[in-house]
Amino acid sequence: MKIFKIAFWILWRVWFYVLMAIPILIMFPFLVVSILSEKGYPYFFKMARIWAKFILFGMGFYYTVKREQKLIKGKSYMIVANHTSMTDIMLMLALIKNPFVFVGKKELVKIPLFGFFYKRTCILVDRNSSKSKNEVFKRAQSRLNQGLSICIFPEGGVPDDESILLDEFKDGAFRLAIDHQIPIVPIIFPDNKERFSYTFLSGSPGKMRARILPFIETKDLTIDHRKELRDQVRNLIYNGLLEFQK
């Protein structure tokens, strides 16, 4: 029985990358045209949402979402969530209709096909470079000025220790939200680690739940409030994760 499970996990993981490639190949000419200028990003974003849903359903995942507050079309937000799986990217795209830009680690550029578009549409950060972090703020500010939203996983990456429920948050997302006086949208993904963690021989098809918490306003806050805001958002997501575990 164990041999069959291992065989399933291997084939299932390979299938994930096949699913990543199929819609990119089909939509390739349209994707390329959409990234020729920053004005084309909303069209790219629509195709990215199709790509994300194709992967989720192709892997046997189905998602449900509880929205305690809805995003307003045309308004910019800072979207944050806990981060435990590559499928966090797909689920975020499936849930949020407002065009947003990911701030993500540069290592994902190495993934064939996906990396080509990831590099040209996302804001990449090298955690070991202070210069890179400064560039992130400049690019994020530029995107916000264009009326887009920003999505950051404030843990700064997936914890190596999968027993950690929620890692400590970095300040960046909250500093940007305060600088631009935009609301923070906290989102909880309680099942993605169980469904498709970074441990190779693990996971299974099934339900992925999401909960969009009430937004946190940053109006009248100053940069001095960023740590207090960071801890407030982390506590909300952490307590929400605990509720799902009950």
Side-chain angles (χ1 to χ4, degrees), residues 66-82:
K66 180 180 179 182
R67 302 178 191 269
E68 298 187 21
Q69 189 171 345
K70 294 184 178 180
L71 283 73
I72 299 171
K73 185 177 181 180
K75 186 173 181 177
S76 293
Y77 297 89
M78 176 59 66
I79 305 163
V80 299
N82 59 304

Side-chain angles (χ1 to χ4, degrees), residues 2-227:
K2 189 174 181 180
I3 294 175
F4 288 115
K5 282 186 176 180
I6 292 172
F8 165 78
W9 277 323
I10 292 172
L11 291 172
W12 195 54
R13 291 275 169 166
V14 171
W15 178 237
F16 176 77
Y17 290 100
V18 171
L19 286 172
M20 286 181 70
I22 290 172
I24 293 177
L25 289 170
I26 292 172
M27 298 186 292
F28 191 83
F30 306 102
L31 290 167
V32 171
V33 170
S34 70
I35 64 172
L36 291 178
S37 71
E38 291 187 343
K39 290 181 180 179
Y41 185 80
Y43 302 102
F44 173 86
F45 183 79
K46 288 179 181 180
M47 289 182 278
R49 296 191 72 227
I50 294 171
W51 169 83
K53 291 178 181 181
F54 182 87
I55 294 168
L56 292 175
F57 291 124
M59 290 294 289
F61 301 135
Y62 63 97
Y63 58 88
T64 61
V65 57
K66 180 180 179 182
R67 302 178 191 269
E68 298 187 21
Q69 189 171 345
K70 294 184 178 180
L71 283 73
I72 299 171
K73 185 177 181 180
K75 186 173 181 177
S76 293
Y77 297 89
M78 176 59 66
I79 305 163
V80 299
N82 59 304
H83 193 23
T84 58
S85 167
M86 267 194 73
T87 57
D88 296 340
I89 295 172
M90 293 80 184
L91 187 54
M92 187 68 79
L93 284 166
L95 295 179
I96 305 297
K97 294 181 180 180
N98 290 37
F100 65 83
V101 177
F102 280 110
V103 173
K105 57 185 180 180
K106 69 173 187 176
E107 290 83 356
L108 294 181
V109 169
K110 298 175 184 177
I111 300 175
L113 275 180
F114 170 82
F116 175 83
F117 292 101
Y118 178 79
K119 181 179 180 180
R120 288 159 178 80
T121 57
C122 297
I123 300 171
L124 307 187
V125 60
D126 180 354
R127 299 192 201 99
N128 300 317
S129 168
S130 57
K131 182 181 177 181
S132 172
K133 291 176 183 177
N134 289 331
E135 286 298 316
V136 166
F137 278 98
K138 290 179 183 177
R139 290 197 61 195
Q141 287 171 341
S142 173
R143 289 304 211 175
L144 287 168
N145 289 335
Q146 294 168 8
L148 299 173
S149 295
I150 299 291
C151 178
I152 297 179
F153 297 109
E155 291 167 275
V158 176
D160 293 328
D161 182 355
E162 291 192 2
S163 67
I164 295 174
L165 183 63
L166 187 67
D167 213 345
E168 296 301 318
F169 279 9
K170 306 292 189 295
D171 289 354
F174 310 100
R175 177 180 158 188
L176 272 169
I178 290 172
D179 283 349
H180 290 266
Q181 298 285 282
I182 57 175
I184 294 173
V185 181
I187 301 179
I188 302 170
F189 294 148
D191 303 314
N192 293 10
K193 184 191 294 186
E194 181 182 354
R195 296 277 75 85
F196 199 82
S197 78
Y198 278 86
T199 299
F200 190 77
L201 298 179
S202 68
S204 65
K207 183 191 288 186
M208 285 179 163
R209 293 168 295 174
R211 181 181 171 193
I212 300 177
L213 300 174
F215 307 161
I216 299 173
E217 295 294 335
T218 58
K219 188 178 179 182
D220 299 327
L221 295 184
T222 68
I223 200 68
D224 294 332
H225 294 101
R226 71 185 185 282
K227 294 187 184 298

